[in-house]
């Protein structure tokens, strides 16, 4: 079974530039999560989708972050404009439903300079 | 609001020695607790969850609601246990996880 796929794996951008990350969840998984992990900290949830609907985006900085999952499968997370403090690993995860195991991707490493 | 605390950033143990990773949580209801592990150059993966009450790779964890703790234990550490361990809590019906800050375990021969 293929795991959660993410791209790009690494990205370096200057502050005020934009960046987009892509995630392809495990086939059939209705629930998709984006987490932000800053160095030395645990992952923090940014947004959760159930199919193509947003369940929770309470911790998403909506002035600069946006995410979509238009067809209920792939998802993109965008940051525009980026700030230095956005340097982190962005983890995508998916599960087949509430209470089921959450599977993580390898992450997209962002450095903002 | 819920919170997960892992007081140790680093645990260094010798091979064959017992290891215990501490996890405390704050939540007024009945959460579900998990331990996730990240080995070097690998993705974050589930190690165990309290409702399963099973031992994975020799690790066990007991939920103590009185002390609001979910400590992870292994009686005899192995070198392959060297990894980053995260305690996590799920407190809603949607299953989202709240993570602690993680404990790095280093097992030396």
């Amino acid at each position: 079974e293929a795991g959660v796929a993410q791209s790009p794996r690494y990205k370096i951008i200057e502050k005020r530039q934009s960046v987009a990350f892509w995630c392809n969840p495990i086939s059939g998984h209705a629930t998709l999560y984006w987490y932000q992990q800053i160095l030395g900290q645990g992952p923090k949830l940014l947004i959760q989708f159930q199919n193509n609907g947003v369940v929770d985006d309470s911790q998403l900085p909506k002035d600069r972050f946006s995410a979509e999952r238009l067809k209920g499968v792939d998802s993109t997370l965008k940051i525009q404009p980026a700030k230095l403090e956005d340097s982190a690993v962005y983890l995508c995860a998916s599960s087949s439903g509430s209470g089921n195991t959450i599977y993580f991707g390898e992450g997209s490493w962002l450095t903002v300079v | 609001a819920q919170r997960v605390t892992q007081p140790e950033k680093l645990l260094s143990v010798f091979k064959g020695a017992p290891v215990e990773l501490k996890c405390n949580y704050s939540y007024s209801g009945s959460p579900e607790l998990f331990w996730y592990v990240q080995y070097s150059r690998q993705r974050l993966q589930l190690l165990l969850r309290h409702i399963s009450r099973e031992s994975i790779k020799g690790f066990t964890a007991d939920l103590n609601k009185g002390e609001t703790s979910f400590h992870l234990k292994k009686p005899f550490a192995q070198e392959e246990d060297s990894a980053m361990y995260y305690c996590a809590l799920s407190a809603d019906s949607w299953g989202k996880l709240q993570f602690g800050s993680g404990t790095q375990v280093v097992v030396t021969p």
Side-chain angles (χ1 to χ4, degrees), chain B residues 2 14 20 24 26 30 33 48 50-51 58 68 71 82 86:
Chain B
Q2 56 258 35
F14 287 108
E20 180 179 30
N24 288 91
S26 62
S30 296
L33 276 296
L48 55 77
H50 89 270
I51 60 171
T68 59
H71 303 328
S82 295
Y86 294 95

Side-chain angles (χ1 to χ4, degrees), chain B residues 44-60:
Chain B
L44 195 59
Q45 59 186 280
L46 177 66
L47 179 61
L48 55 77
R49 56 200 303 176
H50 89 270
I51 60 171
S52 300
R53 302 186 65 82
E54 58 188 343
S55 173
I56 305 292
K57 298 185 179 182
F59 285 98
T60 58

Side-chain angles (χ1 to χ4, degrees), chain A residues 21-61:
Chain A
F21 300 113
W22 173 83
C23 172
N24 181 229
I26 292 173
S27 178
H29 280 193
T31 309
L32 185 147
Y33 311 81
W34 282 102
Y35 282 84
Q36 179 193 57
Q37 186 172 19
I38 294 172
L39 187 65
Q41 299 180 20
K44 182 186 83 171
L45 181 72
L46 291 176
I47 189 167
Q48 178 181 352
F49 292 94
Q50 183 70 19
N51 296 307
N52 60 349
V54 175
V55 170
D56 185 343
D57 63 357
S58 58
Q59 298 195 81
L60 187 74

Side-chain angles (χ1 to χ4, degrees), chain A residues 73-86:
Chain A
V73 180
D74 294 3
S75 177
T76 56
L77 175 71
K78 297 179 182 178
I79 308 173
Q80 181 179 15
K83 292 185 175 181
L84 297 177
E85 58 261 36
D86 298 333

Side-chain angles (χ1 to χ4, degrees), chain B residues 32-106:
Chain B
E32 188 169 358
L33 276 296
F34 305 80
W35 277 98
Y36 275 77
V37 61
Q38 188 166 27
Y39 301 103
S40 180
R41 303 181 193 280
Q42 295 187 28
R43 61 188 70 195
L44 195 59
Q45 59 186 280
L46 177 66
L47 179 61
L48 55 77
R49 56 200 303 176
H50 89 270
I51 60 171
S52 300
R53 302 186 65 82
E54 58 188 343
S55 173
I56 305 292
K57 298 185 179 182
F59 285 98
T60 58
D62 290 319
L63 178 61
N64 185 323
K65 293 186 178 181
E67 296 183 357
T68 59
S69 68
F70 188 56
H71 303 328
L72 183 68
K73 302 175 185 178
K74 184 169 183 177
F76 308 103
Q78 303 299 313
E79 290 180 67
E80 54 265 30
D81 297 327
S82 295
M84 193 73 175
Y85 292 80
Y86 294 95
C87 183
L89 174 157
S90 177
D92 68 16
S93 59
W94 293 105
K96 68 175 184 279
L97 297 172
Q98 172 122 10
F99 286 88
S101 56
T103 298
Q104 179 75 49
V105 172
V106 176

Side-chain angles (χ1 to χ4, degrees), chain A residues 49-107:
Chain A
F49 292 94
Q50 183 70 19
N51 296 307
N52 60 349
V54 175
V55 170
D56 185 343
D57 63 357
S58 58
Q59 298 195 81
L60 187 74
K62 298 180 185 66
D63 58 334
R64 297 182 301 104
F65 286 65
S66 65
E68 60 183 16
R69 193 184 184 199
L70 293 175
K71 296 182 180 179
V73 180
D74 294 3
S75 177
T76 56
L77 175 71
K78 297 179 182 178
I79 308 173
Q80 181 179 15
K83 292 185 175 181
L84 297 177
E85 58 261 36
D86 298 333
S87 295
V89 180
Y90 291 86
L91 296 168
C92 182
S94 70
S95 76
S96 55
S98 175
N100 295 327
T101 300
I102 296 175
Y103 295 89
F104 284 82
E106 293 179 295

